[in-house]
Every structure is written in C-alpha cells, then in structure tokens.
Amino acid sequence: MMISGVLIATAVVAGAGILIGIILGVADMKLHVDVDEKEQAILEALPGNNCGGCGFPGCSGCAAAIAKGDAPVSQCPVGGPPVAAKISEIMGVDAGDAKRMVAYVHCGGDCDKATQRYEYYGAEDCRVINQVPGAGPKTCTFGCLGGGSCVNVCQFDAIHIVNGIAVVDKEECKACGQCINICPRHLIDLIPYDATESVRCKSQDMGQAVNKYCKVGCIACHICEKNCPSGAITVENNVATIDQDKCTHCGLCAEKCPKKAIQAM
Ligand code: SF4
Ligand code: SF4
C-alpha cells in the first residue's frame, strides 16, 4: 500500500516535470528571437549615451537600423568618424567621408553688443522667456535669450552662457543635437568641426533696425556675398548664410564684413 502510494506520487511528479518541459520547449520555439550578431557588435561599438541624437530611441534602435541597412554607418553623431569606421568594418562597407560636426549658435549679440528693452526676472528657461511680453527682454527678437535651455539639456557640458549668450565648446560637443531641438529661437545648427567662418546672426530684420540694437548683427549689405570667390554665401531674408560645403576657408568674408557678423572660428 505504502509502496504504491510512493510510486503514484513519483509518477505524478515525473509527469508534471515532463509536461512543464514540453510547455517550456514549445514556448522557447515560439518566442525565440535570433540574436543578430552584427547588430550586437554595432551596439557594442556605439558610445551608449542613449541621447537620441541619431534620431532613434536609444543606441539599440540605432544599431538595429544600421544592421538592417536602414541607416548609414555614420548615423551616430556622438561617435563621429571613429565609431563610423568601426561600424563600417562590422558591416563590411566603406565608411565614406563622414565628417565630424559640431553645434554652432548663430548669435553674437552678447550683453555688450546687443540692447535690452527691460530687465527680466523669472524662470531661466528660454521657452518661457520667449513667451513673455515682446518675446523676451532682448530688443532683437531673433537673438539668443541667454536662459540656457541648451546648456541644461547638453549631456556633455559642451555649451555655456557667456556674457548673456550661448557659446559651444567645439572640443566637447558630440553633435547629439539636443541643444538644437530645445532652442526656441532655432539659433543652433551643426556645422563641420573644421569650419573656419560662420555667421553669428539669424536676424531677419532690416539693416537699419539691426544697426540700432546690435553691434554685430547682419545688416544684409551683401558685401560678403559679393566678395566670396567660391559662391558660398547667400543673403536671404536679410541675413547671410554660408554653405560650408562650398567654403574654401579663405577668410575674405570675415575680413570684409563691416559688422563683424561673420567671425573666424
Ligand atoms: S552642444 Fe551639447 S547638446 Fe548641443 S549638440 Fe553639442 S553635445 Fe549635443
Ligand atoms: S541658444 Fe537658444 S536655448 Fe540656448 S540660451 Fe540661446 S535662446 Fe536659449
């Protein structure tokens, strides 16, 4: 009697074990996801900042897109050319001529050069300052508000408020684009690390108005455009812009600009 009870219990336990084993086996077959070795290697090559600068939600999204061929090997701006070179090896493709890019703030109107209509006391957040009367205390409604929203969002301590305007430390910038996305004045964009001239102004006001409120604002006089030997400068909407792909770094525009709105970097 006792022995048969033991045998029954053993059979039940063994049966349950076999049944659980079968269920787990089937679940494993159904839920199994193949680990893409390339994707894994790319993920390891990426810097792991998960900053979203690549346009994907985190490094794993970027790695998956590169592995599938949906994004170029240079998709990660933070890793720059060295990481692109590693990933191109993993993918077995040419890295191309991925250039290092850095953020640049197109405003030079600091506290000494640009006028203010009133003193502002309130939240140090440019998105808030941009909403107060007159779109902030600065006379120029295109210039840097100096509230430092870009500074607060930068994970790399690469941007600082200097005398009332944001300035990028190009050695520290990883081109993640976080500052670009947050600036309510749309003053920041990426330019090549080796750019030598850029326009520190985005004001679309007429020259006469700019002259009244900023010592270094672009007055759309076209002198830079006329003097650029490579046709790299265009004046549109009352402000000059430089096509960095065409610029040959001769420095003539910076030399000729009567307002010094174009500065050698
Ligand atoms: S300054 Fe900072 S936030 Fe802006 S692109 Fe460079 S690293 Fe990113
Ligand atoms: S660059 Fe833009 S976000 Fe940064 S301080 Fe100036 S206005 Fe604010």
Side-chain angles (χ1 to χ4, degrees):
M1 189 72 171
M2 184 99 154
I3 291 174
S4 68
V6 170
L7 285 176
I8 290 168
T10 308
V12 168
V13 170
I18 290 167
L19 187 65
I20 290 168
I22 292 168
I23 292 170
L24 288 176
V26 171
D28 183 49
M29 269 162 43
K30 295 253 181 226
L31 301 175
H32 180 76
V33 178
D34 280 332
V35 177
D36 182 330
E37 282 176 16
K38 260 188 192 171
E39 186 181 320
Q40 195 56 35
I42 294 168
L43 185 58
E44 279 162 23
L46 289 169
N49 290 95
N50 289 309
C51 61
C54 55
F56 293 94
C59 299
S60 54
C62 182
I66 298 173
K68 278 191 211 131
D70 292 342
V73 294
S74 57
Q75 185 72 19
C76 170
V78 176
V83 166
K86 270 194 219 165
I87 297 177
S88 68
E89 246 178 66
I90 297 164
M91 292 293 287
V93 298
D94 187 3
D97 54 354
K99 268 191 208 156
R100 180 176 171 188
M101 304 292 280
V102 287
Y104 184 84
V105 183
H106 293 276
C107 178
D110 63 22
C111 294
D112 302 324
K113 303 191 185 87
T115 62
Q116 302 232 124
R117 278 185 295 242
Y118 57 86
E119 284 292 323
Y120 168 81
Y121 300 96
E124 290 299 309
D125 179 334
C126 303
R127 292 162 301 177
V128 174
I129 305 172
N130 201 32
Q131 300 298 323
V132 302
K138 207 163 205 166
T139 317
C140 173
T141 54
F142 297 92
C144 176
L145 294 158
S149 295
C150 50
V151 176
N152 297 334
V153 85
C154 179
Q155 296 175 34
F156 304 97
D157 192 28
I159 188 162
H160 303 102
I161 300 299
V162 182
N163 201 14
I165 56 167
V167 177
V168 174
D169 175 347
K170 73 182 222 179
E171 299 309 327
E172 299 302 325
C173 177
K174 302 286 184 284
C176 71
Q178 299 293 312
C179 55
I180 297 173
N181 296 336
I182 206 152
C183 177
R185 289 276 164 104
H186 310 292
L187 283 175
I188 312 175
D189 63 18
L190 293 181
I191 65 171
Y193 172 86
D194 56 10
T196 50
E197 279 76 28
S198 196
V199 185
R200 295 206 100 189
C201 182
K202 278 219 169 174
S203 168
Q204 295 183 9
D205 285 335
M206 302 284 280
Q208 238 179 350
V210 175
N211 266 335
K212 283 189 190 145
Y213 62 62
C214 187
K215 290 181 186 156
V216 290
C218 174
I219 51 170
C221 63
H222 292 258
I223 290 178
C224 52
E225 195 181 47
K226 283 177 199 147
N227 280 280
C228 176
S230 47
I233 304 189
T234 318
V235 179
E236 255 174 26
N237 300 323
N238 290 325
V239 66
T241 52
I242 300 180
D243 180 339
Q244 296 290 349
D245 290 333
K246 290 185 183 167
C247 174
T248 56
H249 315 300
C250 70
L252 261 178
C253 54
E255 195 185 307
K256 299 279 180 186
C257 174
K259 293 281 305 224
K260 300 297 167 210
I262 301 178
Q263 296 183 0
M265 295 166 59

